[in-house]
């Protein structure tokens, strides 16, 4: 991304959204889907709210919502361990069997989460044997997780669960400066990423 494009994106993410845009974001971007037991939990790595992400995954495991999981995330600045290593260790400490958690240690963005994880899932389970996936990630990234997965793995059924630690209710995201910045930063990527073939429309219209 050029410096000018990066600055343009920054300018947009610090703007105040219109009432119509708030409505569209709440309706189409900030969605969780109904959950049912899935073959795989796809846990997208993070440096934000790690404990919350782990607690949510552990709760899903205890409730029988997935048979296998993959944790994807590389080494980020300031850490000597990959996001995968940190998150998996916490999941195992909380009771999720280590041999049920597949590992991906290189990804540095959402596209790489998917691209690098698919061969690992295929080698361990066979992609054809996985019929349903729950995507677990940050609220502000929202539907871009399953949209990225849908671009590279259209056949599998996708569900979405997102979490955050903001005290502000999700539907009031626009009243919190940092929550607003994060959501607009992700929202502004959607159409460009679709045009460039990074993501595919999901859910179906």
């Amino acid at each position: 991304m050029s410096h000018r494009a990066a600055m343009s994106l920054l300018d947009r993410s610090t703007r105040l959204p219109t009432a119509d845009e708030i409505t569209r974001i709440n309706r189409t971007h900030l969605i969780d889907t109904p959950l049912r037991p899935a073959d795989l939990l796809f846990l997208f790595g993070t440096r934000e709210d790690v404990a919350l992400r782990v607690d949510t995954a552990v709760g899903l495991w205890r409730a029988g919502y997935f048979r296998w999981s993959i944790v994807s995330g590389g080494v980020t600045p300031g850490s000597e361990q990959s996001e995968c290593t940190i998150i998996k260790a916490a999941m195992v400490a909380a009771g999720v069997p280590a041999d049920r958690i597949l590992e991906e240690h290189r990804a540095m963005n959402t596209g790489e989460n998917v691209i690098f994880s698919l061969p690992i899932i295929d080698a361990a389970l066979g992609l054809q044997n996985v019929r349903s996936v729950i995507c677990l990630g940050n609220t502000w990234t929202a539907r871009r997780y399953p949209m990225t997965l849908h671009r590279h793995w259209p056949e599998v059924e996708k569900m979405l669960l997102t979490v955050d630690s903001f005290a502000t209710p999700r539907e009031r995201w626009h009243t919190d400066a940092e929550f607003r910045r994060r959501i607009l930063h992700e929202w502004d990527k959607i159409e460009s990423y679709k045009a460039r073939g990074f993501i595919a429309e999901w859910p179906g219209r």
Side-chain angles (χ1 to χ4, degrees):
M1 179 182 294
S2 69
H3 176 71
R4 179 177 293 180
M7 291 305 295
S8 175
L9 194 57
L10 178 61
D11 290 344
R12 284 184 58 75
S13 68
T14 57
R15 75 189 186 282
L16 292 177
T18 65
D20 177 66
E21 191 173 27
I22 292 168
T23 298
R24 286 190 293 121
I25 289 173
N26 285 343
R27 186 181 70 247
T28 67
H29 186 60
L30 299 180
I31 57 175
D32 285 341
T33 64
L35 296 183
R36 65 176 185 81
D39 295 320
L40 179 73
L41 175 71
F42 198 126
L43 198 157
F44 290 79
T46 185
R47 289 174 292 171
E48 301 278 353
D49 302 333
V50 171
L52 176 59
R53 187 81 51 94
V54 169
D55 288 347
T56 303
V58 171
L60 291 172
W61 170 258
R62 291 173 177 167
Y65 274 94
F66 64 92
R67 299 167 53 210
W68 296 89
S69 176
I70 185 161
V71 180
S72 172
V75 177
T76 55
S79 177
E80 296 181 354
Q81 294 182 307
S82 69
E83 293 173 343
C84 174
T85 297
I86 294 167
I87 292 170
K88 177 173 179 176
M91 289 174 65
V92 171
V96 182
D99 61 0
R100 289 283 166 167
I101 307 173
L102 307 178
E103 304 175 25
E104 189 290 305
H105 293 274
R106 295 187 295 148
M108 299 301 291
N109 56 56
T110 306
E112 290 183 352
N113 286 140
V114 171
I115 292 167
F116 294 161
S117 291
L118 288 184
I120 296 169
I121 298 168
D122 194 26
L125 308 175
L127 292 179
Q128 72 279 3
N129 297 319
V130 180
R131 296 176 300 277
S132 54
V133 175
I134 296 172
C135 299
L136 174 60
N138 296 319
T139 294
W140 49 90
T141 308
R143 67 174 175 140
R144 202 161 61 74
Y145 294 120
M147 291 180 83
T148 306
L149 192 61
H150 197 58
R151 164 64 179 82
H152 299 279
W153 195 9
E155 300 84 6
V156 74
E157 178 191 356
K158 299 157 191 76
M159 293 167 273
L160 175 61
L161 177 62
T162 60
V163 295
D164 66 77
S165 60
F166 283 102
T168 304
R170 181 179 302 189
E171 66 277 7
R172 300 289 296 166
W173 58 270
H174 53 284
T175 66
D176 181 295
E178 178 59 18
F179 207 176
R180 181 172 65 241
R181 184 195 66 79
R182 294 187 191 188
I183 287 177
L184 292 177
H185 182 72
E186 295 296 334
W187 168 253
D188 288 340
K189 296 176 181 178
I190 296 291
E191 293 307 317
S192 170
Y193 278 21
K194 281 200 294 187
R196 295 159 71 183
F198 294 165
I199 60 178
E201 188 61 50
W202 181 93
R205 293 179 175 175

